[in-house]
Amino acid sequence: MLYQTLVDIYEKLNATSKRLEKTSILSAFLKNLQDNDVEQVILLLQGIVFPIWDERRLGIADKLVIHAINIATGKSPEFIEQKWKELGDIGDVSANCVQKKTQATLFSNELTLSKVFTNMQQLVSFTGEGTVDKKTALVAELLTNATSSQAKYIARTALGDLRIGLGDGTLRDSIVWACFSQQIGLVYNQAENDVKLDEEQRKKYNEYTNLVQSAYDKTTDFSLVLEKARKGEEALKKITITPGLPLNVMLYQKAQNIADAFATVGQPASIEYKYDGFRLQIHKIKEKILLFTRRLENVTSQFPDISKEAKLAINATNAILEAEIVGYDISSGKYLPFQNISMRIQRKHDIESTAAKYPVHIILFDLLYLDGRDCTVLHYHDRTELLAGICAQSKTFYLAQKIITSDEKEAAEFYNKSLLNGNEGVMMKNLSSPYQPGSRVGYGVKVKSVMDALDVVIVGAEWGEGKRSKWLSSFVIACKNKDEYPAIGRVGTGFKEKAEEGTAFAEMTELLKPHIKPQEGREVQIKPAIVIEVHYEEIQQSPSTAAGYALRFPRFVRLRPDRRPEDASTLAEIQKLFTQQRGRTKNI
Ligand code: ATP
């Protein structure tokens, strides 16, 4: 397949903001793909060349792409940087430079999809001396043979910022349309931008959507889902949980207090400590251990200590377990707040010494797969019994503390005990519910002491003045709404001046710098990448924010490197909190 065929799709998707139209364009394209193009197309549509859970990442610096454009087009790095500031997008700059060049020269090699894909993948294969030059040459080779519009997407893909507004939801729906529109009787009316479905068709549509979503949640692999869906419903239904492929985790709803929690999960319920760490999926495949965060990042190499423990402690050939990873203070033996170990998630160097300095406990709370058996269909009670049966507990590897009760008073005492032990609260779980990957169903709820916490994405900031001129401050924060990130205000408090005191402005600036959209002036826009937790007094309706709501007195609490922007609090959640906050009781 020619790369231009995909570029045409990028351009068409870019040209419309209508979700149904995007779905129609994409589904027609996916339907007619050759089998052997499926994997590369699906990844490139997501703007990546390795699956999300792959340890390999492109990690290309802006400078490298500038240099590659320079080699391919002869434009000076200063010119390219200036253009970037003017146009605000490296893709447009790249297209512009190539356009000017191609007026003079004719290129000979037409780029194929696999040439672009292979060159991009090769970018991570070099180490040692000359690495940067070799990488630059690979990108430059692509740009040299590219047309102006191809150059735009090559540069954007290299820098991981595709900007075609394609979210997971649209991709999922496109697979449904591409593979099951006949069964549903679905026809898209472009003039009206509508699909008219009667009740029966709507039911079928929902069934197929759930089927595709469920296959995705079990494997988080859209290529595999498309490949099977193209073969038909039966093939799609056969997709099962596979050790090595991370699942989308089940999420827990929030309960106001213990009585509210019982009302959702029923009585009796299991009540577990809610540990304040980060969630980890532990996959055991014979002698191999793979570790994935909640955002499906493969962090196996960052946590050799956990792998070592897991190999010894899990008595099964193949298994997938869920755990909360908590840091502890070696001298006092007490748990540490999440921030203290969060940096281990991103650590690439000095892994062993960091592991020794910041040791962790691995606290298991669920079992999703065991030796050929999909455990997510089992009841919570049976899953946790099996889990207890295969785990040899040690000082650092153990099961979550829990009680099973119907009694509110006993539950409240356990809640207080959990807080006294330095935890965040409790999780309350229905005893006979399955595990539903990818959804926030009420099979379990969390009861926390602080109810007013939101995970928000930083989408803008302001350069400071005077002695703070090197720092970004006054961060624009946003929630998630479908594929967009509407702002819900700004946060400036809670950050420290000095690193020793906590998360400092300097650290925030370093983290955000690679995501700043190039532009002049003090006010900058930032690509959604960094998620933070904020507390606030109240949610107010606001005509001046894109979300229509604003947080009163927002305060930064901590970084959430374990979250993707897609995992941020949604506008729907904020609306719900807004309606709930009247008459709310914080009593437990
Ligand atoms: P929060 O921000 O409150 O941690 P969240 O958005 O990460 O919530 P939720 O599913 O809403 O995710 O809340 C449950 C989280 O609590 C889990 O993701 C997990 O990391 C953590 N946790 C701690 N202890 C437990 C436990 N015993 N059972 C399940 N999850 C636990």
Side-chain angles (χ1 to χ4, degrees):
M1 180 174 149
L2 290 177
Y3 183 56
Q4 184 59 40
T5 314
L6 179 66
V7 168
D8 288 340
I9 297 297
Y10 286 151
E11 298 270 279
K12 284 187 192 162
L13 292 173
N14 238 344
T16 176
S17 57
K18 295 179 190 144
R19 181 160 168 181
L20 290 180
E21 196 176 346
K22 279 189 201 269
T23 312
S24 162
I25 295 164
L26 198 55
S27 62
F29 174 60
L30 296 181
K31 194 172 181 169
N32 297 316
L33 280 182
Q34 300 281 337
D35 284 345
N36 55 359
D37 288 329
V38 165
E39 192 181 346
Q40 298 185 353
V41 162
I42 288 288
L43 288 175
L44 287 172
L45 277 170
Q46 295 174 90
I48 48 182
V49 291
F50 299 109
I52 317 167
W53 65 87
D54 197 303
E55 268 188 302
R56 292 166 295 177
R57 285 274 175 278
L58 280 190
I60 298 298
D62 296 356
K63 278 220 164 68
L64 191 146
V65 176
I66 292 174
H67 191 193
I69 299 175
N70 161 252
I71 294 174
T73 68
K75 297 282 167 221
S76 74
E78 296 73 30
F79 172 85
I80 298 167
E81 267 183 65
Q82 184 51 37
K83 270 270 163 245
W84 195 347
K85 280 194 178 136
E86 269 170 41
L87 301 176
D89 167 37
I90 188 65
D92 289 341
V93 177
S94 179
N96 183 290
C97 295
V98 166
Q99 172 106 48
K100 296 220 168 103
K101 179 206 87 166
T102 50
Q103 284 164 358
T105 45
L106 275 178
F107 42 88
S108 50
N109 288 331
E110 257 199 292
L111 283 175
T112 60
L113 180 86
S114 53
K115 173 69 185 164
V116 175
F117 189 83
T118 316
N119 270 32
M120 292 279 180
Q121 279 210 331
Q122 272 179 0
L123 288 172
V124 301
S125 61
F126 308 112
T127 49
E129 216 169 293
T131 296
V132 175
D133 289 344
K134 287 179 199 154
K135 287 184 180 181
T136 312
L138 282 176
V139 180
E141 186 197 3
L142 294 178
L143 292 173
T144 304
N145 292 304
T147 61
S148 166
S149 58
Q150 291 167 1
K152 169 153 92 181
Y153 294 101
I154 288 167
R156 287 185 182 174
T157 305
L159 285 181
D161 185 14
L162 197 55
R163 299 185 180 205
I164 55 165
L166 177 67
D168 284 359
T170 311
L171 195 48
R172 176 204 60 203
D173 291 351
S174 305
I175 296 177
V176 175
W177 289 29
C179 306
F180 303 111
S181 51
Q182 256 184 351
Q183 288 85 331
I184 300 166
L186 180 147
V187 182
Y188 172 63
N189 180 333
Q190 192 175 7
E192 293 180 25
N193 181 37
D194 198 9
V195 278
K196 294 219 162 39
L197 299 174
D198 63 27
E199 206 178 310
E200 186 59 24
Q201 288 174 317
R202 171 67 53 194
K203 206 173 129 217
K204 274 199 185 148
Y205 184 89
N206 290 342
E207 275 168 19
Y208 282 110
T209 307
N210 290 341
L211 192 60
V212 171
Q213 181 68 47
S214 151
Y216 176 69
D217 287 335
K218 283 180 188 164
T219 54
T220 55
D221 184 344
F222 272 125
S223 321
L224 180 72
V225 174
L226 177 61
E227 185 199 314
K228 299 294 179 198
R230 278 157 55 100
K231 294 201 171 112
E233 190 175 336
E234 286 317 307
L236 186 61
K237 279 185 178 154
K238 286 206 183 100
I239 287 189
T240 54
I241 294 172
T242 315
L245 292 181
L247 288 76
N248 253 341
V249 295
M250 178 166 83
L251 300 167
Y252 302 90
Q253 295 178 353
K254 247 182 205 173
Q256 311 270 13
N257 50 39
I258 299 246
D260 182 30
F262 270 128
T264 308
V265 299
Q267 279 161 304
S270 172
I271 311 184
E272 298 176 2
Y273 279 180
K274 184 179 192 310
Y275 299 91
D276 184 18
F278 68 93
R279 191 167 183 169
L280 195 73
Q281 245 176 68
I282 304 177
H283 290 228
K284 179 165 192 289
I285 313 164
K286 298 196 178 124
E287 285 313 300
K288 192 162 112 188
I289 299 286
L290 290 173
L291 307 172
F292 301 100
T293 64
R294 186 187 136 152
R295 43 189 294 181
L296 314 177
E297 272 175 340
N298 185 329
V299 289
T300 312
S301 43
Q302 285 92 311
F303 293 96
D305 43 340
I306 299 182
S307 296
K308 199 170 142 205
E309 281 274 336
K311 264 186 216 163
L312 294 173
I314 303 172
N315 186 12
T317 313
N318 295 310
I320 305 176
L321 288 69
E322 271 209 301
E324 188 76 359
I325 306 303
V326 191
Y328 71 94
D329 181 17
I330 309 174
S331 52
S332 69
K334 286 205 167 127
Y335 293 147
L336 290 170
F338 170 74
Q339 294 92 302
N340 294 54
I341 50 156
S342 67
M343 90 290 237
R344 283 198 60 189
I345 299 176
Q346 276 143 350
R347 199 88 192 173
K348 296 274 180 290
H349 309 286
D350 308 323
I351 301 237
E352 297 286 347
S353 58
T354 319
K357 205 162 151 198
Y358 299 101
V360 292
H361 281 191
I362 302 118
I363 306 157
L364 305 159
F365 60 81
D366 222 323
L367 176 71
L368 313 183
Y369 182 92
L370 179 61
D371 291 331
R373 189 168 177 195
D374 174 356
C375 299
T376 60
V377 294
L378 302 178
H379 290 179
Y380 161 87
H381 192 259
D382 298 338
R383 295 198 308 274
T384 43
E385 291 253 295
L386 280 174
L387 176 67
I390 60 158
C391 288
Q393 300 197 59
S394 69
K395 262 192 187 159
T396 54
F397 198 92
Y398 51 91
L399 299 170
Q401 288 266 11
K402 69 173 175 198
I403 56 166
I404 292 178
T405 184
S406 299
D407 184 53
E408 270 188 42
K409 197 164 153 258
E410 202 182 330
E413 274 163 14
F414 191 71
Y415 169 87
N416 285 332
K417 193 169 142 203
S418 179
L419 289 187
L420 278 177
N421 278 292
N423 302 311
E424 277 192 303
V426 290
M427 305 297 300
M428 294 185 45
K429 301 179 180 176
N430 177 301
L431 296 178
S432 48
S433 286
Y435 183 100
Q436 195 163 318
S439 1
R440 201 179 281 278
V441 276
Y443 297 161
V445 296
K446 52 186 172 186
V447 189
K448 296 209 284 184
S449 56
V450 182
M451 302 293 290
D452 303 333
L454 285 176
D455 292 324
V456 291
V457 189
I458 298 183
V459 295
E462 201 179 59
W463 288 107
E465 282 183 307
K467 74 177 175 73
R468 288 176 164 216
S469 64
K470 286 207 175 75
W471 296 342
L472 288 170
S473 57
S474 184
F475 304 97
V476 181
I477 49 177
C479 58
K480 182 176 183 306
N481 188 27
K482 303 205 174 88
D483 297 339
E484 294 181 346
Y485 295 95
I488 46 163
R490 283 181 179 271
V491 60
T493 37
F495 303 96
K496 307 291 182 213
E497 300 267 331
K498 295 188 190 130
E500 310 84 79
E501 296 163 351
T503 305
F505 285 108
E507 184 187 345
M508 290 301 295
T509 309
E510 282 311 304
L511 274 176
L512 292 166
K513 246 188 201 163
H515 309 292
I516 298 177
K517 299 183 183 168
Q519 64 202 101
E520 311 273 7
R522 278 180 58 208
E523 192 70 41
V524 293
Q525 287 180 308
I526 295 174
K527 222 172 72 186
I530 303 295
V531 179
I532 59 170
E533 186 177 316
V534 291
H535 286 179
Y536 57 90
E537 287 270 293
E538 199 188 0
I539 299 173
Q540 298 174 319
Q541 278 179 315
S542 163
S544 58
T545 63
Y549 292 91
L551 303 183
R552 194 168 125 89
F553 302 135
R555 183 167 59 82
F556 167 84
V557 181
R558 58 180 171 170
L559 288 166
R560 299 293 327 220
D562 54 332
R563 292 293 142 84
R564 288 175 300 178
E566 297 92 295
D567 302 322
S569 304
T570 62
L571 183 57
E573 281 163 10
I574 289 167
Q575 275 159 344
K576 194 168 164 209
L577 286 169
F578 173 74
T579 26
Q580 278 176 353
Q581 71 191 4
R582 270 162 281 161
R584 187 175 77 208
T585 144
K586 281 191 187 166
N587 294 339
I588 292 296

